[in-house]
Amino acid sequence: MKVILTQEVSGLGTPGDVVDVKDGYGRNYLLPQGFGIRWSKGAEKEVTNIKRARGAREIRDLGHANEVKTQLQSLKVSLQVRAGDGGRLFGSVTPAEIVDAVKAAGGPSLDRRRLELPGHIKSTGSYPVKVKLHPEVTATFDVNVNRSK
């Protein structure tokens, strides 16, 4: 089955790529999750639109990725969350919350799917977060999780 990817799928490709996958994988996972659309001649024309949208929000090149990396490493990212007396959170910190905190701290807009958390963040403290900006560039910055008052 030929599928046009609409989102990045690790190990398979990036948005706009036309890939051949097994029928069950495409029909049962990629299409229902919205990660891809069936390939057709009409859908092939959508590939240019997908790639243009991706280019607008992607890191342009290796130099730009290094600029964003230095910008991220100089940021002081802090996140205020609800927590109990012992510092244990009510729930956990999600990648989307970290992306919002980076944006609020004056950092660049990031894709939440490119964040690599050190596990589930369920207590207050400082945690290292990795962001894969480019195939050759990975930035690491600390997120301070504090109890809100």
Side-chain angles (χ1 to χ4, degrees), residues 36 41 58 73 83 95 98 102-103 105 120 129:
K41 289 184 181 181
E58 276 283 313
Q73 289 175 338
I98 293 174
V102 168
K103 191 111 172 125
H120 296 286
V129 176

Side-chain angles (χ1 to χ4, degrees), residues 28-97:
N28 297 327
Y29 178 69
L30 293 176
L31 299 178
Q33 295 292 327
F35 293 143
I37 56 174
R38 284 187 185 269
W39 179 88
S40 66
K41 289 184 181 181
E44 183 75 33
K45 295 176 185 172
E46 289 292 317
V47 171
T48 57
N49 293 338
I50 292 170
K51 286 187 177 183
R52 189 176 324 127
R54 182 182 80 192
R57 67 177 182 268
E58 276 283 313
I59 303 294
R60 290 186 295 277
D61 58 1
L62 188 61
H64 185 240
N66 285 325
E67 288 176 20
V68 172
K69 179 180 177 180
T70 57
Q71 184 181 6
L72 280 173
Q73 289 175 338
S74 66
L75 278 180
K76 303 280 189 231
V77 180
S78 179
L79 195 59
Q80 300 292 326
V81 293
R82 289 183 44 204
D85 292 332
R88 187 159 169 83
L89 304 185
F90 298 128
S92 63
V93 176
T94 64
E97 291 173 330

